[in-house]
Amino acid sequence: MAVVDLVLRPGTTDDAAECGRVCFEAFAGIAREHAFPPDIPSLEVGVALTEAGLSHPGFYSVVAEIDGRIVGSNFLDERSTVVGVGPITIDPAVQNRGVGRRLMLDVMDRAAERRAPGIRLLQSGYHNRSFSLYASLGFAFRETVACMQGPAFSHPVPGHTVREATDADLGACNELCRQIHGVDRGGEVVDALKQGTARVVEHGGRVTGYATDLAFFAHAVGRTTSDLQALIGSASAFGGPGILVPARNSLLLGWCLANGLKVVQLLSLMTVGLYNEPTGAYLPSILY
C-alpha cells in the first residue's frame, strides 16, 4: 500500500546521522536477504557517505519523511553534464510502499528542470524490485557490470607509464572522456585532483587513459583495454566493494580474474536520455 502522508524536502547536513542510519540498514537488509556482502559495510560508512552527498555543492539531495521521521533519501550527482542517481535508500520498515518511486521521480524532475541530457545509474543485479522500478520509470538496460575485489597486484604494462594526475591534465582527461562517451566528467576529475586520487596513463607520448581512483565511487576511461590494465595494475588498493568492470570486456574481465580479483556481484547499468555506446575501454563508478 502506497504511503499517502509522505513529505519530500531538500536534504541538509543535519540529516546526515539519520539518513546514514537508513542507508546502512537498507543496504545491509537487502544484501542479507540475498546472501551478498553489503555495499555499505557499517553505520559509520553510511553516515560518512550521506554526509558527503549532503554537503557537496555538486550533489542534489532529497529526504523523505513520514510524521517528521526520516524514512529515505536520494541523491543526484550533478558535477557533470550527464547526471548520476544514488545512493537511494528506504527504511526497511516502509519498503515496497512507493517511497522509492517518489524519491526517483523527484530526482528525475530535478534533472528535467536542469535540462540534463541523460540520467544514469547502476543497480545490484540480485535486487529484482529495484530493477523493475527503474525499468517502469523508463530506464533502459545497457550492460552488465562486474564488481571485482581482491588484493592489489603490481602489473606494469610495457610502453605504458602511470603517474599522478595534475591540474594540467584536466583538458586531456576531458577530451579523452568525450571521445569515448560523448560527454566529459570534468567535475569528478576536478574533485579527484583535489583529493590526490586521480591517475593518468601515457602511451606514445600522450595521455591515453585516466582514473579518478580505482574504487567503487570512481571511474576510469582508456583508449584501449591495455590503458585500463596499466591503471589497475598500478593501484595500491581497490576502494570500497571494488572496481566495476563491464562484463562484455572479456579481455579485461579475464585479466582481472587471472590476477586474483574475484567477482563480488553483478550490476546493471541503466540510462534515460542521452547515451552513447562507448568507443573505448572504461570502468564506471557506482553512480554511472
Side-chain angles (χ1 to χ4, degrees):
M1 182 170 60
V3 176
V4 295
D5 52 351
L6 187 73
V7 174
L8 300 184
R9 63 166 175 82
T12 72
T13 53
D14 292 337
D15 300 317
E18 190 61 12
C19 285
R21 178 194 65 79
V22 171
C23 179
F24 166 64
E25 293 182 357
F27 275 107
I30 293 168
R32 186 167 52 246
E33 179 183 339
H34 294 86
F36 278 84
D39 293 342
I40 309 300
S42 68
L43 174 61
E44 291 75 19
V45 171
V47 172
L49 176 62
T50 54
E51 185 173 27
L54 290 166
S55 61
H56 196 297
F59 282 78
Y60 168 79
S61 62
V62 56
V63 170
E65 291 183 332
I66 298 176
D67 296 330
R69 179 174 66 91
I70 292 176
V71 296
S73 62
N74 200 5
F75 294 85
L76 194 68
D77 183 352
E78 300 178 328
R79 289 176 290 174
S80 301
T81 303
V82 170
V83 294
V85 177
I88 176 173
T89 53
I90 299 95
D91 191 312
V94 297
Q95 285 179 5
N96 306 314
R97 295 175 60 187
V99 178
R101 180 174 291 272
R102 291 278 299 277
L103 287 169
M104 282 300 299
L105 288 172
D106 184 273
V107 298
M108 293 175 74
D109 287 344
R110 166 75 175 189
E113 291 170 4
R114 292 177 59 86
R115 300 182 182 276
I119 310 173
R120 301 182 189 181
L121 59 82
L122 275 85
Q123 69 86 221
S124 296
Y126 59 76
H127 193 199
N128 295 343
R129 296 194 305 274
S130 69
F131 183 90
S132 299
L133 169 62
Y134 303 143
S136 72
L137 291 172
F139 280 82
F141 169 83
R142 295 300 180 181
E143 67 176 300
T144 297
V145 176
C147 177
M148 307 191 74
Q149 184 57 279
F153 52 93
S154 178
H155 197 300
V157 176
H160 293 69
T161 302
V162 178
R163 60 170 174 80
E164 183 177 343
T166 70
D167 291 346
D169 296 311
L170 178 60
C173 292
N174 287 344
E175 178 59 26
L176 183 61
C177 193
R178 283 192 291 268
Q179 291 174 6
I180 292 170
H181 288 296
V183 294
D184 68 63
R185 301 176 69 168
E188 295 165 77
V189 177
V190 168
D191 278 354
L193 288 168
K194 291 177 181 177
Q195 294 161 5
T197 59
R199 308 278 286 175
V200 296
V201 55
E202 295 178 322
H203 177 63
R206 61 174 178 168
V207 172
T208 54
Y210 76 85
T212 54
D213 199 353
L214 275 302
F216 201 55
F217 280 90
H219 75 274
V221 295
R223 293 187 184 278
T224 68
T225 294
S226 295
D227 295 310
L228 293 189
Q229 289 172 329
L231 288 164
I232 295 169
S234 70
S236 59
F238 306 110
I243 57 174
L244 301 173
V245 179
R248 64 172 165 175
N249 189 340
S250 56
L251 176 60
L252 184 60
L253 183 67
W255 181 83
C256 288
L257 290 169
N259 281 284
L261 300 190
K262 295 182 178 180
V263 175
V264 178
Q265 63 167 305
L266 298 177
L267 303 103
S268 299
L269 173 63
M270 306 180 77
T271 73
V272 165
L274 176 69
Y275 178 78
N276 299 301
E277 195 69 22
T279 59
Y282 80 106
L283 305 178
S285 76
I286 189 56
L287 299 181
Y288 78 89

